[in-house]
Amino acid sequence: MPATGANAAAVKSTLVSSDGTRIAFERSGSGPAVLLVSSALADRSDAAKLAGLLSQHFTVINYDRRGRGASGDSADYAVEREVEDIAALIGLAEGPVSLFGSSSGAVLALRAATAGLGIRRLALYEPPFVVDDDGFGPPPGFARHVDGLIAQGRRGDAVKYFMTEAQGMPGFVVALMRFMPGVWSNLRALAHTLPYDIAVMGDTQQGKPLEAGVWSAAKVRTLVLSGGKSATGFQRAARALAGVLPDAEHRTLDGLNHGAVVMAPRKLAPSLVEFLRD
């Protein structure tokens, strides 16, 4: 029987990636496989409701990226290790696997595609590229400041700085989150992985057009999504990416913002089902 709710019938397991790091994941549903790649400050719990909805149509593999949740970590981080994690998870499936990634997780999924992994379809929600010099995106020195806050043990300040300066979240909203103990403690627990997502983004947030030559190796059919209520910078980035990929289309989903995976999975899921099942 297919899953009928968030994480229904999900089976928890782990695998060992090529560098020896243990990666935790949950598998649910049946049919063609879809791997969910989470964003910054997120683990597999953030996509649990979306996984439950998609598992009515697919075999869903929802995993904790390294350093998060129940997954292990390595002493020296490299984006290539995360791509190897994705390769190991793809190896679990019988047949082709599609990837869905959101925000910086979308860029990680895209990097996996450019690495030549066996990916059937690629669905990306608001990869946070900064393609114009208009003030959208993180300020100069952003990565260095995040590193400094984490080195000082100021995990909450690192979370606040990321949310306000990289995601454009109003400061009062972040302040209110501090009064949600479960939510805030989870975010603080993931703060040390912020440099990982900054590394995934590389030099793509400097207000320059995307280089087609960098991304053209992602020849897989791709759907790039943006939310109609999101900042125009996210929408502009999504259109720009669709324009440089060999086989891509862009769609705007009315009523959604950058937090759609957590806040509005029921509105996001139908577009993913339509594209990934086609």
Side-chain angles (χ1 to χ4, degrees):
M1 292 292 290
T4 57
N7 252 18
V11 177
K12 298 180 180 180
S13 188
T14 61
L15 59 75
V16 178
S17 194
S18 60
D19 73 337
T21 301
R22 189 166 296 277
I23 303 299
F25 66 94
E26 296 179 353
R27 179 161 31 188
S28 59
S30 61
V34 179
L35 176 66
L36 307 184
V37 186
S38 63
S39 65
L41 293 176
D43 57 22
R44 72 178 187 263
S45 66
D46 291 84
K49 291 182 180 179
L50 180 63
L53 294 167
L54 295 179
S55 68
Q56 298 176 41
H57 308 274
F58 309 103
T59 297
V60 177
I61 301 172
N62 185 19
Y63 78 106
D64 285 331
R65 288 172 55 188
R66 58 174 56 213
R68 309 169 191 227
S71 286
D73 206 351
S74 55
D76 297 316
Y77 177 81
V79 176
E80 291 78 8
R81 302 294 83 75
E82 290 222 65
V83 172
E84 291 167 359
D85 298 343
I86 291 175
L89 289 158
I90 287 175
L92 292 174
E94 298 178 359
V97 178
S98 297
L99 266 59
F100 168 70
S102 61
S103 194
S104 54
V107 180
L108 178 56
L110 181 60
R111 291 194 184 281
T114 64
L117 302 190
I119 298 169
R120 177 180 175 268
R121 295 279 174 87
L122 195 60
L124 310 174
Y125 187 79
E126 295 197 340
F129 297 125
V130 180
V131 297
D132 283 302
D133 187 15
D134 62 354
F136 174 76
F142 175 75
R144 184 172 60 255
H145 191 61
V146 169
D147 287 341
L149 291 172
I150 293 172
Q152 296 169 40
R154 297 167 59 187
R155 301 173 73 90
D157 289 339
V159 170
K160 178 181 178 181
Y161 183 71
F162 176 82
M163 287 185 159
T164 55
E165 299 299 325
Q167 294 185 322
M169 189 176 294
F172 76 89
V173 174
V174 181
L176 289 174
M177 295 174 72
R178 291 179 180 268
F179 295 96
M180 305 166 67
V183 172
W184 190 249
S185 62
N186 288 342
L187 292 171
R188 290 183 73 256
L190 294 168
H192 68 284
T193 63
L194 285 172
Y196 300 0
D197 290 274
I198 292 171
V200 167
M201 295 309 302
D203 63 355
T204 65
Q205 295 186 303
Q206 298 180 359
K208 301 176 182 178
L210 294 175
E211 297 182 28
V214 173
W215 307 108
S216 60
K219 301 184 185 302
V220 61
R221 186 176 172 189
T222 302
L223 174 65
V224 187
L225 296 167
S226 56
K229 294 179 69 176
S230 293
T232 56
F234 288 120
Q235 300 174 39
R236 191 161 50 241
R239 289 193 297 268
L241 178 60
V244 301
L245 293 177
D247 185 9
E249 62 176 300
H250 168 248
R251 296 182 198 169
T252 298
L253 302 182
D254 293 338
L256 299 187
N257 60 24
H258 196 59
V261 170
V262 175
M263 303 302 295
R266 290 189 177 277
K267 294 182 179 180
L268 177 60
S271 294
L272 297 178
V273 171
E274 177 188 4
F275 174 71
L276 296 174
R277 192 172 55 183
D278 182 15

